Amino acid sequence: MSCSPVHVQLISTKVSYMSLKSCPLPHPMFTGRTDIIQQMHMFFSTGHKRLSYVIYGVGGSGKSQTAYKFINEAQHPPEGQPRFSQVFFIDVTSKETCDADWKSIALSANVDASAEDAVKWLSEQKNDWIVIFNNADDPALDLYPYIPKCHHGNLIFTTRNPSLNVHASSTNGCLHLPMLLPEDALSLFWKASGNFDLDKEAAVQLLKVNLLNFVYVLQLISTKELGHHALAIGQAGTFIRQQHLEVKTYLALYHQKADQAVLLTHKDQQSTDDYKYAVFPTFDLSFEQLTPLAIKFIQIFAFFHHSNISPHIFQKAYDGRLELTTVNNEEKQNLLAAQDFLDQFTSPSPSPSSSFHLLKCTAVFTQLCSYSLLLFDVANNSYYLHPLVHEWAVTKMEDNVITSTQILAEHLLGLSAADTSIADVAYQRSLVPHLQPVLRGHTLMTTNNLALTLRSLGKFAEAEQMQRELLQKRQEILGPDHPETLITMHNLGETLHTLEKFAEAEQMQRELLQKRQEILGPDHPHTLISMNHLANTLDSLGKSDEAQEIRAQLDALKNLMSTG
Ligand SMILES: Nc1ncnc2c1ncn2[C@@H]1O[C@H](COP(=O)(O)OP(=O)(O)O)[C@@H](O)[C@H]1O
Ligand SMILES: [Mg+2]
């Protein structure tokens, strides 16, 4: 903004409220947030001169609504004076809306001045005003010029961008808005689906009468489905009421991907407030501003579990390249695609000796966080997506890239699980939720790594099931004598032994030994390992004579090799 020596001195300090944009009222169905609003009242009553409060979080979670509700309560207390002398409301969706709203503040003070002059004018008003910077969702818009430079006055920011917490006047003034409490989510759903006048207890009571319906409602609003997300719950309830649907039917539709996208994109023609978007379109607003690399990450995350995501997955995947054994052609293509992807993070450019540049990767995470498409989980020191953002991510791909992105995601996970050393058990544990759905996927390498990961975590039954499927696939695709097929037989034999399924282990290990003797030769290290394992299994079966015989052969072979 250019600075002109305006008539700030001449301006009347009387504000003409006619031309001022007022803070909207909270939604007629506003529900919950009691504790948070209580905290805000306390925060703004501490007597400090400049108080500044930042509410950040996922789009549609209720940040603006919480601010409206607070202002409404603060300005209309049951008794006493309004908390603030004036309330100024600025729409910070874009620079244009922000400038326009500041200009209208200038106008209301009877002067035709720029936004900058209006900011300056307000900084000179000594009374106890508050400015609400609403929807400061564009990380590229620098808010600093719009903040009155003085030591008094109050500010509230609502934003998707956690980085705006630099504007909070203390750590108490920084709120990551959580999803609704389960009971508030239930209460909102109940109102939206047509029961406006019931209070919370009565609503719960009524739902309990129809217990089955109650169960479906609880499922619909739960963390796994609508995730206690205020906008999603309000709109689902309204839809159910208008279409005269049963909750069960809505839930069944919701579980079909195509219908789910329609439901979460639907917005009723008749508005109940000034919020313009349905759930998915509200996320689309942020998507449109992402860089291509951040878009690719969001698409990849669609095939990860929605929590426990970390840049280390990509770093480990990069390191995992080195652990690879022989692969068939199709796998090779997929692995090359995964490596190409990872090479974007090498420093300074890809080469055999280059290393993974973690900061390049975390920068993408930070970008996604600035739109609250990705959230940071302090307790687990990892990132997560709200379940609705996770569902939405799948819809942000053209049909022709869905499969390739899924294969890429699976290979990245597979590579990152390649290091199965016990030392990394904690990391492996964090990978299991991501790898589980891969069972239904395409990637043999990932399945192999997952099976080994499960085994090192002591989940032998799951590992057995996975290794059986893998063996069958490898026999079909690679053939019964391929080295990878033989390695799978070896791994499965081991797992069966651990599970004390000795008879089946014996059968598998005999077959494997025979193949290795024929294909690799009697003195190949893999053949010797197989002999040793078979001998152990025979011991467990009480066939110690044969076990001894094999061990004697083994010793003879070893002697021969050391002397030869
Ligand atoms: N506490 C709430 N009670 C009822 N509805 C809510 C609540 N919070 C949000 N909503 C609904 O979600 C919509 C979006 O809320 P808003 O506060 O604008 O989200 P954002 O977090 O993006 O600022 C509102 O228009 C309203 O319909
Ligand atoms: Mg908002």
Side-chain angles (χ1 to χ4, degrees), residues 58-65 68 134-137 158-160 275:
V58 175
S61 58
K63 303 176 293 291
S64 301
Q65 286 292 324
Y68 304 166
N134 192 44
N135 293 342
D137 295 335
T158 76
T159 177
R160 298 182 187 189
Y275 199 79

Side-chain angles (χ1 to χ4, degrees), residues 494 497 502 505-506 509 528-544 546-548 550-551 554:
E494 280 285 84
H497 184 106
F502 298 122
E506 177 195 1
Q509 287 167 338
L528 305 187
I529 290 172
S530 279
M531 288 173 79
N532 193 21
H533 284 183
L534 177 59
N536 290 343
T537 304
L538 291 171
D539 269 338
S540 304
L541 283 164
K543 301 181 179 179
S544 39
E546 193 184 348
Q548 262 178 13
I550 291 177
R551 287 211 177 87
L554 199 56

Side-chain angles (χ1 to χ4, degrees), residues 7 38 68 131 170 233 275 326 347-348 376 380 383 431 433 463 486:
H7 344 277
Q38 191 53 34
Y68 304 166
V131 182
S170 71
I233 288 173
Y275 199 79
T326 45
S347 178
F376 187 65
N380 290 306
Y383 295 82
L431 272 187
L486 301 191

Side-chain angles (χ1 to χ4, degrees), residues 495-529:
T495 306
L496 290 170
H497 184 106
T498 315
L499 286 167
E500 301 189 357
K501 297 185 175 181
F502 298 122
E504 208 184 337
E506 177 195 1
Q507 199 186 342
M508 179 126 321
Q509 287 167 338
R510 270 194 204 284
E511 199 185 325
L512 176 64
L513 178 57
Q514 195 186 346
K515 279 183 191 291
R516 283 186 162 165
Q517 282 168 335
E518 282 166 13
I519 299 167
L520 305 174
D523 54 353
H524 188 279
H526 284 181
T527 311
L528 305 187
I529 290 172

Side-chain angles (χ1 to χ4, degrees), residues 139-310:
L141 178 62
D142 182 10
L143 291 187
Y144 183 75
Y146 298 103
I147 298 176
K149 312 291 176 297
C150 54
H151 294 293
H152 64 282
N154 307 277
L155 310 171
I156 293 181
F157 298 83
T158 76
T159 177
R160 298 182 187 189
N161 184 3
S163 303
L164 282 200
N165 63 24
V166 291
H167 296 304
S169 55
S170 71
T171 42
N172 288 343
C174 198
L175 174 75
H176 181 187
L177 188 72
M179 294 300 122
L180 290 174
L181 293 173
E183 62 268 30
D184 293 333
L186 180 61
S187 175
L188 173 57
F189 176 82
W190 192 239
K191 289 182 210 168
S193 58
N195 298 279
F196 294 99
D197 300 329
L198 290 175
D199 65 14
K200 200 155 77 184
E201 277 91 61
V204 171
Q205 209 44 46
L206 216 100
L207 280 171
K208 279 183 179 161
V209 174
N210 185 345
L211 197 58
L212 193 58
N213 193 43
F214 183 57
V215 171
Y216 287 127
V217 172
L218 286 184
Q219 189 187 341
L220 178 63
I221 65 175
S222 72
T223 323
K224 266 187 72 193
E225 312 286 356
L226 299 180
H228 303 141
H229 184 273
L231 175 63
I233 288 173
Q235 289 188 344
T238 308
F239 188 85
I240 284 170
R241 172 163 52 89
Q242 287 174 340
Q243 308 286 326
H244 307 289
L245 287 180
E246 283 187 29
V247 181
K248 181 182 166 188
T249 315
Y250 185 92
L251 203 55
L253 292 173
Y254 188 81
H255 285 155
Q256 290 165 23
K257 281 273 172 262
D259 288 333
Q260 183 191 68
V262 175
L263 292 175
L264 292 171
T265 310
H266 173 86
K267 167 98 172 69
D268 191 33
Q269 296 288 318
Q270 297 304 316
S271 303
T272 41
D273 68 355
D274 59 359
Y275 199 79
K276 295 200 270 302
Y277 305 101
V279 180
F280 280 0
T282 204
F283 303 149
D284 289 344
L285 290 179
S286 305
F287 186 82
E288 285 152 17
Q289 301 186 45
L290 296 178
T291 59
L293 189 56
I295 289 178
K296 195 72 218 167
F297 267 73
I298 272 287
Q299 293 171 337
I300 289 171
F301 293 159
F303 299 104
F304 283 15
H305 188 266
H306 69 85
S307 65
N308 251 315
I309 297 173
S310 110

Side-chain angles (χ1 to χ4, degrees), residues 312-369:
H312 294 291
I313 294 180
F314 297 90
Q315 182 167 35
K316 289 265 183 192
Y318 187 80
D319 299 342
R321 292 155 26 261
L322 308 171
E323 309 274 336
L324 287 178
T325 49
T326 45
V327 285
N328 69 343
N329 262 343
E330 192 197 339
E331 289 278 291
K332 200 173 258 161
Q333 283 309 108
N334 294 332
L335 281 170
L336 284 176
Q339 283 190 24
D340 279 351
F341 178 80
L342 292 165
D343 279 343
Q344 298 177 83
F345 302 100
T346 50
S347 178
S349 59
S351 79
S353 61
S354 58
S355 60
F356 189 79
H357 200 219
L358 192 63
L359 280 182
K360 278 189 186 171
C361 187
T362 50
V364 187
F365 275 62
T366 308
Q367 188 193 148
L368 292 171
C369 284

Side-chain angles (χ1 to χ4, degrees), residues 417 420 428-429 431-433 435-436 439 447-467 495:
T420 50
Q428 288 167 13
R429 186 162 291 140
L431 272 187
V432 171
L435 289 166
Q436 222 104 47
L439 246 188
T447 314
N448 185 37
N449 289 337
L450 174 57
L452 294 178
T453 298
L454 288 170
R455 209 169 71 179
S456 57
L457 290 173
K459 298 187 170 191
F460 298 108
E462 287 98 326
E464 177 197 353
Q465 184 204 339
M466 209 166 288
Q467 284 167 335
T495 306

